């Protein structure tokens, strides 16, 4: 592994002030000097953040997954860096990058080694989506923490700050220095298919407080936080991965709702902001997505909100940004709009050459490119990557998934579980009166790092609390035969715990719950994702909301069911009535407890 002196030498002239990792804008002279020695292709490369398939920087064990790269002879992260000099790498899940902590740390060091070996070698900014809850790219044995809406239900900014500090500390130990979190979207649309529980809630001031707290927690761990998805993705019924959402808010409503958490993030000194692939006619009437909108990114974000940090696009392979323009135009238009980092275009060769061509032909000036490259270099310097690009692989086990972090995750989760119904005081259950439990219901694909399907995790946790709990998965769309088998199994137990996942009026899951209720057995529903499920369950005596189905949230729900802890969560979103969405079934802040 290159020494610190070799690393600094590879950067060809970066001064000791940058090497300390304390460089501010006063040290831009050194950064600008470095920038002046870079070739145009090197500058273009610094603007891209790409997936690098495989668990090693040099071994192409899984690189053939990405056909776009293998077609041009790039099989590994090292080859990707050598050819395109990319400034950032994004990690994805176990199948792609994140097998175990030591492997991730070795991958990070291999990526840095490959980049620093290039002429004017620069450290790479390694990023990931570690939101926790429903979206986690680094799984167990790393610490899995409650998701954003769960933290919103807990209502504690201190908890949000603690979560980010723990998450950031573990990410940094793995060589990941930019997290695409927190989600700053205000989720005011129960039908939102892409944000939902990834948001802290529906109250803009509450969301703003949580966002600022997480930014502070990541800063304390020297990891760059990323507020997303500007200008706000919380009121959509379209997933921008597959379509082109339109936000119909007036300018005044946008300012009072969507903008509030982003203003808070900027005041907190957030290092990066991610754009959303959505149209906001009140901010830009051109019909372009925000990612490609100069009025939104330069006019509003940089001009009105005063943000001068790094702007990164959401993934450029998403349909929301590809609707109007070809893949060769999107990266150029994004840079013209005010973007600094281009995340994962569908073809790096097409995107990289398009930007290079735009500069050479005068559509983009090199000065405009330099603005963005300078912001990338500033962030790398601020994070100390020039001085310390490598992680200590032998120390990973002393940081990642340690007992203190896991215990804190359980404590955080205990403050988030929300009791939405408890007719007749059915909860808590006791092993003395309800010794035999059937845990049945939906088992969606689990977030990274869960130890098994939700029914199994919940059953195991309840068994550990003195019950005899049997798990039976029905899936998210159970057939009539599966439902009948589950109902038959309920005949041999004292009570049933049923997990629900995104219930609708015609969902087979709803049929399952109704059939279980008809047996006369006590039924406890656990909404393992959206708290809105309660609206579809008017006759269920007891219902909990966990806001996600990771182990930590399900274990907390089990302790609430068993009465080991009192439910303390409060709804961070209102729940509309099932028969009339204009009416509120449970208001913002609603939540029951035991003994009150």
């Amino acid at each position: 592994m290159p020494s610190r002196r070799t690393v600094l030498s590879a950067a060809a002239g970066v001064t000791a002030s940058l090497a300390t990792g304390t460089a501010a804008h006063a040290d831009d002279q050194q950064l600008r000097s470095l920038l002046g020695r870079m070739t145009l292709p090197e500058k273009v490369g610094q603007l891209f953040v790409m997936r690098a398939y495989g668990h090693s920087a040099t071994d192409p064990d899984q690189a053939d997954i990405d056909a776009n790269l293998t077609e041009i002879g790039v099989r590994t992260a090292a080859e990707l860096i050598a050819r395109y000099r990319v400034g950032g790498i994004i990690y994805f899940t176990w199948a792609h990058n994140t097998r175990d902590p030591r492997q991730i740390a070795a991958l990070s060091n291999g990526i840095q080694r490959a980049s620093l070996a290039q002429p004017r070698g620069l450290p790479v900014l390694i990023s990931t989506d570690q939101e926790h809850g429903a979206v986690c790219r680094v799984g167990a044995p790393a610490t899995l923490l409650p998701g954003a809406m769960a933290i919103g239900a807990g209502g504690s900014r201190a908890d949000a700050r603690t979560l980010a500090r723990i998450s950031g500390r573990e990410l940094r130990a793995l060589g990941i220095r930019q997290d695409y979190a927190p989600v700053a979207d205000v989720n005011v649309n129960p039908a939102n298919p892409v944000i939902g529980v990834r948001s802290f809630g529906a109250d803009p001031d509450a969301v703003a407080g949580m966002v600022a707290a997480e930014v502070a927690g990541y800063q304390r761990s020297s990891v760059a936080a990323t507020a997303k998805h500007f200008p706000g993705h919380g009121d959509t019924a379209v997933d921008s991965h597959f379509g082109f959402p339109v936000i119909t808010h007036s300018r005044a409503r946008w300012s009072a709702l969507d903008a509030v958490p982003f203003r808070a993030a900027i005041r907190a000194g957030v290092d990066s902001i991610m754009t959303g692939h959505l149209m906001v006619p009140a901010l830009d009437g051109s019909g372009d997505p925000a990612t490609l909108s100069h009025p939104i990114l330069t006019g509003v974000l940089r001009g009105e909100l005063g943000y001068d940090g790094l702007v990164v696009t959401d993934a450029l392979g998403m349909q929301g940004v590809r609707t109007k323009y070809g893949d060769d135009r999107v990266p150029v238009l994004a840079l013209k709009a005010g973007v600094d980092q281009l995340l994962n275009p569908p073809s790096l060769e097409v995107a990289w050459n398009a930007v290079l061509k735009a500069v050479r032909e005068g559509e983009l000036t090199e000065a405009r490119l330099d603005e963005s490259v300078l912001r990338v270099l500033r962030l790398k310097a601020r994070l100390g990557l020039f001085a310390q690009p490598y992680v200590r692989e032998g120390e990973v086990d002393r940081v990642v998934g340690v007992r203190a972090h896991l215990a804190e995750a359980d404590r955080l989760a205990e403050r988030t579980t929300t009791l939405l119904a408890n007719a007749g005081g059915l909860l808590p259950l006791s092993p003395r009166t309800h010794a035999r439990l059937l845990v049945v219901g939906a088992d969606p694909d689990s977030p990274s790092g869960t130890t098994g399907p939700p029914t199994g995790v919940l059953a195991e946790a309840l068994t550990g609390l003195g019950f005899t709990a049997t798990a039976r998965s029905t899936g998210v769309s159970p057939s009539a035969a599966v439902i009948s088998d589950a109902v038959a199994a309920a005949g041999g137990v004292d009570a049933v715990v049923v997990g629900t996942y995104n219930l609708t009026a015609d969902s087979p899951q709803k049929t399952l719950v109704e059939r279980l209720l008809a047996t006369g057995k006590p039924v406890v529903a656990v909404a393992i994702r959206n708290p809105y499920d309660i609206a579809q369950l008017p006759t269920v005596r007891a219902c909990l909301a966990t806001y996600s189905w990771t182990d930590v949230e399900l274990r907390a729900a089990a302790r609430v069911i068993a009465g080991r802890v009192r439910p303390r969560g409060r709804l961070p979103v209102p729940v509309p009535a099932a028969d009339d969405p204009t009416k509120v079934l449970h208001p913002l802040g609603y939540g029951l407890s035991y003994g009150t």
Side-chain angles (χ1 to χ4, degrees):
M1 185 176 294
S3 67
R4 179 175 180 275
R5 179 176 296 178
T6 304
V7 171
L8 296 179
S9 175
V14 178
T15 65
S17 64
L18 290 180
T20 65
T22 59
H25 285 201
D27 300 302
D28 273 4
Q29 182 178 350
Q30 287 79 30
L31 290 174
R32 291 178 188 277
S33 177
L34 172 60
L35 184 63
R37 290 190 293 276
M38 294 171 64
T39 66
L40 179 58
E42 288 168 350
K43 292 177 182 179
V44 171
Q46 283 297 298
L47 305 180
F48 284 94
V49 182
M50 290 300 300
R51 289 193 189 192
Y53 289 96
H55 299 103
S56 161
T58 55
D59 179 6
D61 58 335
Q62 296 211 7
D64 59 346
I65 295 175
D66 191 344
N68 290 324
L69 295 182
T70 55
E71 284 176 4
I72 55 175
V74 173
R75 301 168 300 155
T76 65
E79 292 174 357
L80 177 71
I81 289 166
R83 178 169 294 204
Y84 293 105
R85 303 300 298 276
V86 295
I89 294 290
I90 178 173
Y91 288 168
F92 275 76
T93 53
W94 187 94
H96 301 148
N97 301 120
T98 57
R99 183 175 287 163
D100 64 72
R102 289 197 177 193
Q103 167 268 318
I104 299 168
L107 173 61
S108 297
N109 281 344
I111 286 170
Q112 299 295 4
R113 191 179 303 112
S115 185
L116 291 164
Q118 302 302 314
R120 290 168 297 282
L122 295 170
V124 174
L125 185 58
I126 299 174
S127 61
T128 197
D129 290 286
Q130 193 76 348
E131 298 174 13
H132 294 284
V135 177
C136 284
R137 306 305 189 201
V138 179
T143 303
L144 277 299
L145 294 140
M149 192 169 284
I151 293 296
S156 169
R157 296 181 184 184
D159 284 355
R161 190 162 43 249
T162 297
L163 179 150
R165 177 179 53 79
I166 291 172
S167 179
R169 188 175 181 221
E170 295 197 5
L171 291 175
R172 181 178 180 178
L174 300 173
I176 300 168
R177 302 302 299 277
Q178 183 181 27
D179 191 10
Y180 295 140
V183 172
D185 303 314
V186 183
N187 198 80
V188 293
N189 188 339
N192 196 321
V194 65
I195 304 302
V197 296
R198 297 167 61 196
S199 162
F200 290 107
D203 179 86
D205 292 325
V207 173
M210 296 299 179
V211 167
E214 285 208 359
V215 169
Y218 281 112
Q219 286 173 337
R220 184 171 174 183
S221 298
S222 295
V223 168
T226 307
K228 63 186 186 185
H229 307 80
F230 189 83
H233 211 316
D235 190 11
T236 66
V238 174
D239 185 342
S240 54
H241 290 83
F242 309 109
F244 189 11
V246 179
I247 304 291
T248 58
H249 293 174
S250 67
R251 181 63 180 257
R253 179 164 172 77
W254 173 83
S255 183
L257 182 75
D258 307 278
V260 175
F262 290 100
R263 290 194 192 101
I266 292 167
R267 285 195 300 270
V270 71
D271 286 303
S272 50
I273 289 178
M274 179 179 284
T275 66
H277 303 326
L278 42 94
M279 188 198 314
V280 189
L283 303 183
D284 179 1
S286 70
D288 285 342
T291 297
L292 310 182
S293 170
H294 189 274
I296 292 176
L297 299 187
T298 297
V300 176
L301 179 58
R302 296 211 187 276
E304 295 180 24
L305 301 188
Y307 179 65
D308 191 37
L310 197 71
V311 174
V312 56
T313 71
D314 207 342
L316 295 181
M318 293 164 59
Q319 193 58 39
V321 78
R322 302 174 75 189
T323 301
K324 288 184 65 175
Y325 305 101
D327 292 337
D328 59 333
R329 295 299 300 154
V330 166
V332 175
L333 294 173
L335 291 169
K336 292 175 75 172
V339 157
D340 301 306
Q341 282 187 314
L342 302 161
L343 176 60
N344 205 37
S347 170
L348 177 58
E349 182 179 32
V350 168
W352 189 89
N353 281 304
V355 174
L356 193 66
K357 178 182 177 184
V359 177
R360 286 175 171 165
E361 295 184 354
E363 183 179 4
L364 278 171
T365 66
E366 192 162 355
R368 167 65 193 93
L369 221 62
D370 287 352
E371 291 176 10
S372 289
V373 176
L374 186 58
R375 289 192 183 100
V376 173
L377 297 178
R378 281 174 180 163
L379 182 53
K380 291 179 179 182
R382 190 156 60 247
L383 294 172
L385 281 168
F386 286 99
Q388 196 84 37
Y390 301 109
V391 296
R392 294 181 174 90
E393 296 174 31
E395 297 182 7
V396 169
D397 293 342
R398 283 180 260 175
V399 176
V400 178
V402 294
R403 184 175 300 175
H405 288 178
L406 297 173
E408 190 63 50
D410 281 331
R411 285 193 291 271
L412 294 177
E414 285 179 354
R415 296 193 277 273
T416 69
T417 308
T418 306
L419 180 61
L420 299 177
N422 195 24
L426 174 59
L427 293 177
L429 300 181
S430 166
R432 292 190 299 274
T433 55
H434 300 93
R436 297 167 302 163
L437 301 179
L438 173 66
V439 181
V440 65
D443 279 328
D445 290 338
S446 293
S448 178
T450 53
T451 58
T455 51
V457 173
L458 195 51
E460 181 179 359
L462 288 165
T463 297
L465 294 169
F467 299 90
T468 300
T470 303
R472 179 182 288 264
S473 173
T474 64
V476 295
S477 296
S479 66
V482 167
I483 291 173
S484 294
D485 286 346
V487 170
V493 299
D494 302 311
V496 178
V497 177
V498 56
T500 66
Y501 181 88
N502 297 354
L503 277 188
T504 59
D506 58 354
S507 168
Q509 293 180 57
K510 185 176 180 181
T511 302
L512 168 67
V513 177
E514 291 171 344
R515 292 278 306 278
L516 290 168
L517 287 167
T519 67
K521 300 288 184 178
V523 173
V524 178
V526 181
I528 63 173
R529 182 163 185 154
N530 284 326
Y532 311 112
D533 286 6
I534 182 64
Q536 300 292 340
L537 303 172
T539 59
V540 168
R541 289 172 57 192
C543 183
L544 298 170
T546 66
Y547 306 99
S548 190
W549 60 108
T550 55
D551 292 8
V552 66
E553 288 150 316
L554 295 174
R555 288 196 304 266
R559 292 193 292 276
V560 169
I561 290 170
R564 299 297 179 90
V565 298
R566 296 170 62 243
R568 287 183 274 178
R570 296 292 183 267
L571 278 174
V573 293
V575 174
D579 57 349
D580 185 353
T582 66
K583 294 181 180 178
V584 174
L585 176 66
H586 293 309
L588 191 75
Y590 176 84
L592 306 174
S593 192
Y594 298 151
T596 59

